[in-house]
Amino acid sequence: MSTYARQTAQARNVALPSSLEEAVAALAAMPTAVPVAGGTDLMASVNAGLLRPAGLVGLGRINETRGWQYADGAALLGAGLTHARMGRPDFAALIPALAAAARAAGPPQIRNAGTLGGNIVTAAPTGDALPVLAALEASVLLAGPQGNRELPVSHLLTGMDPLRPGELLAYVRVPLLHAPQTFLKATGRTGPGRATASVALVLDPARRGVRCAVGAVAPVPLRPLEAERWVASLIDWDGQRTLAPEACTAFGEYVAGACIPDPLPGEDGTPAPELPPAAIQLRRTVAALARRALGRALA
Amino acid sequence: MTGPDAATATPAVGTPVATEKTDAATHGLGVSLPPTDALAKAQGTYPYAADLWAEGLLWAAVLRSPHPHARIVSVDTTEAAAMPGVRAVVTHDDVPGDATHGRRVADRPVFAGDTVRHHGEAIAAIAADHPDTARLAAAAIQVEYEVLEPVTDPERAFSAEPLHPDGNLIRHIPLRFGDPDAVGEVVVEGLYRVGRQDPAPIGAEAGLAVPRPDGGVELYVASTDPHTDRDLAAACFGLEPDRVKVVVTGVPGAMGDREDSGVQIPLGLLALKTGCPVKFVATREESFLSHSHRHPTLLRYRHHADAEGRLVKVEAQVLLDAGAYADTSSDALAAAVAFAAGPYVVPHVFVEGWAVRTNNPPSGHVRGEGAMQVCAAYEGQMDKLAAKLGLDPAEIRMRNVMATGDLLPTGQSVTCPAPVGELLKAVRDADLPPLPVDDDESQWLLPGGPEGAGEPGAVRRGVGYALGMVHMLGAEGTDEVSTATVRIHDGQATVICAAVETGQGFTTLARQIVQEVLGVEEVRVLPSDTDQPPAGASARGRHTWVSGGAVERAAKMVRTQLLQPLAAKFGMSVELLTIADGKITSYDGVLSTTVEEELAGKELWATAQCRPHPTDELDDTGQGDAFVGLAFCAVRAVVDVDIELGSVRVVEMAVAQDVGRVLNPRQLAVRIEAGVTQGVGMALMEDLRAPRGIVKRPTLTGYSLPTALDAPDVRIVKLVEERDVVAPFGAKAVSAVPVVVSPAAVAAAVRAATGRPVSRLPIRPQHAVAKPQQV
Ligand SMILES: Cc1cc2nc3c(=O)[nH]c(=O)nc-3n(C[C@H](O)[C@H](O)[C@H](O)COP(=O)(O)OP(=O)(O)OC[C@H]3O[C@@H](n4cnc5c(N)ncnc54)[C@H](O)[C@@H]3O)c2cc1C
């Protein structure tokens, strides 16, 4: 009476371009289609019934964006780089914080499929690559029917300058700093999980700067600029580049206070409400992460 | 159903039962026989309910309430019904039989009628020719709700307006044992909270209903209790039970009762209405919204002890949040109240237990229900007492452990083996796992994981102990019975028993039993359905006992039939003959023949029942012999805590367990590991959040389960094999008790590492952070 059988996949409008140019053309030809790279974010939305794409442009066959190249002291990272690829030692030697973020982004199955481009375009608060790119002040190269353009990653993430219809994320330009970088992520568990808070910290000896971004505590990565400047001014850039533990602790508190600020007093003069316990815990977590991140970068 | 075979199962006296197996043995009891379906499951070819298919099938979708509490003003299905491809719509008005159902009390409507009582409650179901059409049509049903204030705080349920015609109090047990005025020299108090663990079966609910030409219907579902499910469904369909057949398909995980009635009743209604097969596969979200969870529980305790740490009196209030419907809450409450003081000797015990109705997600049977929540609390109290008296936590427990012959606070005497002290000693004396060597930090898996932010300098190690107990089989007068048939033919045997293989290993055990008794290696266990006699639910360790017992009796009856003629011929008793490896031999070696030869082409059949001794309901002071048997376990947890981030890693769980007898060593170890891991999930991460009654993030991303990295090393340091004389083979159920004890052990270890009170499960990072000077 009843047997077991597989469901047959339904044919849809699917394009599988093998170059960026073809992909842009495919998207122009099918304006309602959605690009898909690893599908680890997209398919979750499809399965949840949040998205019903009329067509798909698969980016998996575009070889030119699956690796990286060098351009004027920067690396040009293909949007199709997987987390697994970025986690490998050769990449880690180049951009250590991004490699650390890639190794922390989900379980191995997800890292094998999920891409840098997908992580940026999804722009989830917990996207692990995002604070690293913010700290690195990376920029994104977009390819579209009207040609290519480049903009700071933060403009894309904040929605200040969003992707335009028909545009694809092609590359990410990341400066090569040749100095220690760290990415630390708190998840509250030992197995893979989304960040409750993360901190990316990079040293830029050429510009005598420390740049730090905090992920997962706000819709976009936050840059505690004052804390960065303060701590950079304490570091002896020509010497050992070490700091007293107290300074690292103070930096942690500074970063945490900037990212999870105290509530403001009411406009009518009522005293500021207390920080709720969850926010206190988050602040404590960010402070510990930022202190550890700085300590490790200077070690 | 009483008869000669329905008497109390007694141990096999005078029958040849091999006990210890040599290394060479490959079948029979005591060997690690592998399950027959293991390879198919590992390769992904094993068919589960979601893989079912029938020619011309329709797809079902269910419309669910977005509100936890609302009055339904109107339901308009006209637009949905008119959509192309839609074949049927059913609502509350289309249920031909009973409008409500339930495992203990029929208080749950098939579809919400005038009131919605929890987020995700079913309102209507659709059958259509495509799953997407069915979902879109379900969304096109127009429901007008008058949203009501949800009651989500169980403490408010007492005074709130009744959420249901049956009222908000599902059960109250005031247990009184001893002298209420007794006082101890030291007193500790505590308030504990346990969150909402989801059974999170890895395969979501699914099924296929196929109408029958006689006006009945067949339900192909992953049921764990097919006969009860059939009866519930038939009553709602308005059909005689024999017109409904439940066929059990591959069960993709069961941690209690799979909530299949919510799937099979709408499915059956749609199949009966359309005359077509109808299939349903729940989304992960629907699965979280519709099935039953572990009862969130609030516990207030006061322990009195003398100056040496001997317990004098335990006073407790236990409040179970049952959610919108009664389900098995009264059973959970009985266990919570009876085990409220734990496996300790306490002369005076006073417990007030309540199970109340709220608009939270429904609670029901998840293994160790009731017993797990109180274990977290009484073990927290033992740690508090130890701290107050300056005693070692293991020592204070040792001074109070119960043994065979002691009384439970229900007045029931513990007659089964209760080697609690021996279990505790075994975990206490086991070597501690070594601390990671300082110079190789890369090899140290820190709390937070391999790519986490953990820092060795902030990590503190803690060791904690917990003891606990659980009852086996249904309690309080439940008629626990199972029936099995064994057939032998051509030198092979077949077992027919409706006990469902949920992955717990029942079919493997049934094969081993028959191998042992009949000496044949080839044993097949047929799939379960309701044409077979009932075997009851796959829960509470029942099948090892009642179905295993029934299989053994049937096999022995076949054995007698086989050997009787031989014995008569040679003038010796059946007991003097042995069967092994298909050969029959006499004690003196004179007689030697084979099973096949002796059968001479005949088939031998026997059917037997196993029904343990009856139990009583707890009376109005919580007294009575309510339990058939008890199982005990001791766990020592070793945790590492990053005290700045509050992240916890369970390094090792050392387990000593009272198992009666080891029937399959590998299977037993796997059951313990699984139970411990589920307990670690409860301790650290599993909690389905439902603020204001709305379930938040009902997905496997939002609801964390332990992965391989979160799972600790489970070290079984001792299995105490003291046979339980009333249990078949002397074996005790093993799966539930590690779930009961593990969360409490982890909490104790985190307490030791951080100095924090740790009175909530799961333990959130904010409750595991500590100032360095506190440590
Ligand atoms: C179980 C699980 C765990 C996860 N854990 C983590 C985690 O720990 N940390 C983390 O950061 N993320 C995590 N993720 C999210 C996800 O894996 C990452 O965001 C991943 O980088 C997404 O990449 P993708 O290639 O799969 O994107 P896709 O799903 O293919 O695409 C995502 C979106 O980006 C668009 N898109 C993709 N590529 C381009 C392009 N080149 N140009 C324009 N648009 C594009 C798509 O149209 C879509 O809207 C997890 C996901 C899952 C399922």
Side-chain angles (χ1 to χ4, degrees):
Chain A
M1 171 77 70
S2 76
T3 54
Y4 293 101
R6 270 176 211 293
Q7 228 185 308
T8 46
Q10 278 207 307
R12 286 191 184 274
N13 298 328
V14 176
L16 291 169
S18 51
S19 72
L20 260 177
E21 205 178 320
E22 277 177 44
V24 171
L27 215 48
M30 262 198 294
T32 53
V34 174
V36 56
T40 59
D41 277 324
L42 187 84
M43 289 315 293
S45 315
V46 172
N47 291 345
L50 302 174
L51 199 69
R52 304 195 58 79
L56 291 173
V57 176
L59 307 178
R61 296 197 182 162
I62 307 176
N63 283 332
E64 63 201 278
T65 59
R66 298 178 70 82
W68 67 89
Q69 48 199 291
Y70 302 98
D72 315 323
L76 220 46
L77 310 180
L81 268 170
T82 61
H83 293 293
R85 183 68 193 89
M86 292 189 287
R88 295 230 287 266
D90 55 346
F91 190 90
L94 213 59
I95 314 167
L98 196 52
R103 284 196 300 268
Q109 297 90 326
I110 295 297
R111 298 201 299 271
N112 285 338
T115 63
L116 178 63
N119 204 265
I120 297 169
V121 175
T122 298
T126 56
D128 284 326
L130 309 181
V132 181
L133 298 176
L136 288 166
E137 297 182 338
S139 58
V140 288
L141 278 71
L142 308 177
Q146 266 81 53
N148 301 345
R149 61 192 182 114
E150 181 164 355
L151 58 149
V153 71
S154 57
H155 290 196
L156 193 66
L157 294 178
T158 53
M160 216 173 102
D161 195 351
L163 270 186
R164 295 176 193 158
E167 250 179 358
L168 284 172
L169 174 55
Y171 297 99
V172 181
R173 190 191 300 276
V174 175
L176 293 174
L177 302 177
H178 308 289
Q181 313 180 336
T182 45
F183 170 80
L184 296 180
K185 168 179 174 180
T187 61
R189 67 183 295 184
T190 302
R194 294 300 181 103
T196 48
S198 64
V199 169
L201 185 138
V202 303
L203 300 184
D204 187 352
R207 285 155 64 190
R208 305 196 162 211
V210 173
R211 292 202 295 279
C212 173
V214 179
V217 301
V220 293
L222 301 179
R223 287 278 304 276
L225 296 172
E226 281 178 33
E228 289 177 2
R229 274 194 291 267
W230 173 76
V231 78
S233 72
L234 294 183
I235 295 174
D236 171 13
W237 290 98
D238 302 314
Q240 290 290 312
R241 291 205 305 230
T242 52
L243 272 186
E246 295 74 28
C248 291
T249 306
F251 172 72
E253 307 285 339
Y254 205 159
V255 170
C259 295
I260 300 124
D262 282 324
L264 293 173
E267 275 175 17
D268 52 356
T270 48
E274 294 225 342
L275 210 54
I280 294 175
Q281 167 68 10
L282 194 58
R283 196 189 257 186
R284 199 159 34 200
T285 302
V286 170
L289 292 180
R291 190 196 71 224
R292 291 178 188 184
L294 181 65
R296 290 185 200 181
L298 296 175
Chain B
M1 286 220 286
T2 46
D5 284 329
T8 303
T10 41
V13 182
T15 34
V17 180
T19 46
E20 300 306 313
K21 287 282 165 174
T22 57
D23 289 346
T26 55
H27 57 273
L29 291 176
V31 307
S32 291
L33 188 72
T36 45
D37 54 14
L39 189 65
K41 282 183 174 170
Q43 291 180 334
T45 56
Y46 181 86
Y48 289 103
D51 305 316
L52 291 165
W53 189 265
E55 210 43 52
L57 61 71
L58 301 176
W59 292 85
V62 177
L63 171 70
R64 296 179 186 281
S65 168
H67 308 293
H69 194 199
R71 208 170 64 77
I72 297 179
V73 180
S74 65
V75 179
D76 183 356
T77 60
T78 32
E79 198 183 316
M83 283 171 68
V86 172
R87 302 284 292 277
V89 185
V90 287
T91 67
H92 183 70
D93 297 331
D94 302 294
V95 181
D98 294 355
T100 56
H101 64 98
R103 278 176 200 276
R104 296 288 178 274
V105 195
D107 68 347
R108 186 195 296 259
V110 176
F111 296 111
D114 49 9
T115 313
V116 163
R117 297 192 183 87
H118 71 89
H119 177 207
E121 184 160 14
I123 292 177
I126 300 258
D129 54 14
H130 190 278
D132 287 348
T133 312
R135 293 229 159 93
L136 290 173
I141 297 173
Q142 267 143 34
V143 186
E144 194 187 327
Y145 298 98
E146 181 192 323
V147 175
L148 303 172
E149 187 62 26
V151 175
T152 55
D153 175 355
E155 289 189 283
R156 273 202 47 221
F158 295 97
S159 57
E161 286 290 303
L163 301 173
H164 190 280
D166 294 358
N168 292 349
L169 184 61
I170 290 168
R171 190 174 185 187
H172 173 214
I173 308 177
L175 180 141
R176 315 254 172 275
F177 180 77
D179 174 9
D181 300 323
V183 284
E185 285 156 80
V186 285
V187 177
V188 293
E189 296 190 350
L191 175 68
Y192 303 86
R193 283 174 195 276
V194 177
R196 183 178 294 108
Q197 187 172 33
D198 190 276
I202 210 64
E205 288 73 6
L208 176 70
V210 182
R212 288 208 308 212
D214 68 354
V217 64
E218 290 181 359
L219 302 168
Y220 295 80
V221 285
S223 171
T224 50
D225 189 357
H227 289 82
T228 304
D229 283 345
R230 175 198 63 184
D231 294 349
L232 290 178
C236 296
F237 302 157
L239 293 175
E240 289 303 315
D242 62 6
R243 303 283 285 284
V244 178
K245 176 175 175 182
V246 170
V247 182
V248 179
T249 58
V251 178
M255 301 299 169
D257 299 322
R258 276 185 70 92
E259 213 292 292
D260 275 308
S261 32
V263 171
Q264 66 214 16
I265 298 173
L267 261 183
L269 289 172
L270 290 169
L272 288 166
K273 189 156 177 181
T274 59
C276 293
V278 185
K279 173 171 171 165
F280 175 76
V281 181
T283 61
R284 182 55 63 183
E285 287 74 8
E286 285 185 286
S287 175
F288 273 110
L289 289 176
S290 57
H291 62 217
S292 299
H293 312 92
R294 192 185 288 292
H295 291 82
T297 307
L298 179 67
L299 309 106
R300 280 199 188 82
Y301 267 75
R302 188 184 292 130
H303 273 56
H304 296 247
D306 67 16
E308 274 74 56
R310 273 184 205 88
L311 292 170
V312 174
K313 184 167 77 169
V314 171
E315 295 166 288
Q317 296 180 341
V318 180
L319 177 58
L320 302 186
D321 176 355
Y325 299 108
D327 204 313
T328 53
S329 295
S330 65
D331 307 37
L333 187 68
V337 169
F339 306 141
Y344 301 112
V345 178
V346 193
H348 312 287
V349 181
F350 294 83
V351 186
E352 293 287 336
W354 302 273
V356 295
R357 205 183 295 276
T358 65
N359 294 116
N360 287 325
S363 302
H365 172 63
V366 179
R367 60 187 178 187
E369 79 272 34
M372 184 259 122
Q373 290 94 329
V374 291
C375 183
Y378 62 70
E379 288 300 78
Q381 290 290 96
M382 294 307 276
D383 280 351
K384 271 197 180 161
L385 265 182
K388 190 146 185 180
L389 289 162
L391 283 172
D392 176 70
E395 177 55 30
I396 192 163
R397 288 172 168 85
M398 196 60 98
R399 290 184 188 180
N400 290 287
V401 289
M402 110 182 342
T404 306
D406 286 326
L407 290 184
L408 293 178
T410 56
Q412 178 170 359
S413 164
V414 178
T415 50
C416 67
V420 186
E422 191 182 345
L423 299 173
L424 174 59
K425 189 171 179 312
V427 294
R428 187 194 60 193
D429 296 347
D431 293 340
L432 281 166
L435 273 165
V437 261
D438 299 11
D439 55 4
D440 201 5
E441 276 162 13
S442 60
Q443 296 302 304
W444 191 355
L445 180 55
L446 291 167
E451 298 301 329
E455 192 145 279
V459 172
R460 299 288 179 274
R461 179 156 285 196
V463 177
Y465 295 91
L467 302 178
M469 66 206 290
V470 77
H471 66 98
M472 296 176 284
L473 311 188
E476 291 195 278
T478 316
D479 180 25
E480 288 292 24
V481 62
S482 180
T483 308
T485 300
V486 172
R487 161 179 173 240
I488 187 166
H489 50 97
D490 306 327
Q492 315 172 9
T494 305
V495 178
I496 301 164
C497 180
V500 176
E501 169 63 55
T502 60
Q504 91 279 46
F506 174 71
T507 50
T508 307
L509 180 62
R511 284 165 55 223
Q512 290 180 267
I513 294 167
V514 175
Q515 288 173 342
E516 183 77 30
V517 177
L518 292 179
V520 291
E521 201 170 334
E522 276 296 292
V523 184
R524 272 191 344 123
V525 181
L526 297 190
S528 316
D529 64 47
T530 51
D531 287 347
Q532 299 158 357
S538 292
R540 303 174 188 90
R542 288 183 70 257
H543 285 322
T544 302
W545 188 313
V546 285
S547 298
V551 169
E552 188 200 26
R553 285 166 161 243
K556 282 188 173 157
M557 286 158 68
V558 168
R559 184 178 193 276
T560 308
Q561 290 176 46
L562 178 69
L563 299 182
Q564 199 83 66
L566 257 184
K569 194 157 106 197
F570 288 90
M572 56 174 77
S573 77
V574 170
E575 281 71 33
L576 297 177
L577 298 170
T578 316
I579 327 180
D581 297 327
K583 289 196 197 69
I584 306 173
T585 43
S586 62
Y587 75 107
D588 51 9
V590 170
L591 171 83
S592 178
T593 175
T594 67
V595 171
E596 251 195 289
E597 215 170 294
E598 206 35 46
L599 276 173
K602 291 195 298 286
E603 279 187 6
L604 299 177
W605 290 72
T607 298
Q609 282 195 321
C610 176
R611 173 179 268 126
H613 61 78
T615 52
D616 303 332
E617 214 168 310
L618 293 177
D619 67 14
D620 52 12
T621 59
Q623 301 296 299
D625 288 356
F627 307 112
V628 180
L630 302 169
F632 301 88
C633 176
V635 177
R636 182 192 67 194
V638 176
V639 302
D640 280 347
V641 183
D642 185 322
I643 56 162
E644 288 176 348
L645 298 178
S647 43
V648 178
R649 183 173 95 81
V650 183
V651 176
E652 186 198 82
M653 297 287 272
V655 183
Q657 196 168 320
D658 152 47
V659 299
R661 176 176 170 197
V662 179
L663 301 174
N664 182 324
R666 194 183 309 139
Q667 191 159 295
L668 183 128
V670 168
R671 299 308 292 161
I672 293 178
E673 286 168 10
V676 169
T677 307
Q678 194 182 15
V680 167
M682 175 81 250
L684 295 182
M685 60 190 81
E686 293 189 46
D687 190 10
L688 190 70
R689 301 286 192 100
R692 298 192 45 76
I694 302 285
V695 179
K696 287 285 174 244
R697 310 222 295 149
T699 64
L700 289 177
T701 304
Y703 183 87
S704 311
L705 288 168
T707 64
L709 281 169
D710 301 289
D713 280 347
V714 179
R715 204 168 127 216
I716 299 171
V717 295
K718 181 153 197 155
L719 298 174
V720 175
E721 291 192 79
E722 216 179 299
R723 301 210 178 168
D724 186 349
V725 293
V726 299
F729 324 109
K732 293 192 176 189
V734 296
S735 301
V737 70
V739 184
V740 167
V741 185
S742 297
V746 173
V750 174
R751 249 173 236 133
T754 62
R756 298 284 307 265
V758 190
S759 52
R760 266 172 190 256
L761 294 178
I763 304 163
R764 298 274 160 207
Q766 61 265 36
H767 299 124
V769 288
K771 295 201 183 64
Q773 58 265 35
Q774 267 184 276
V775 180

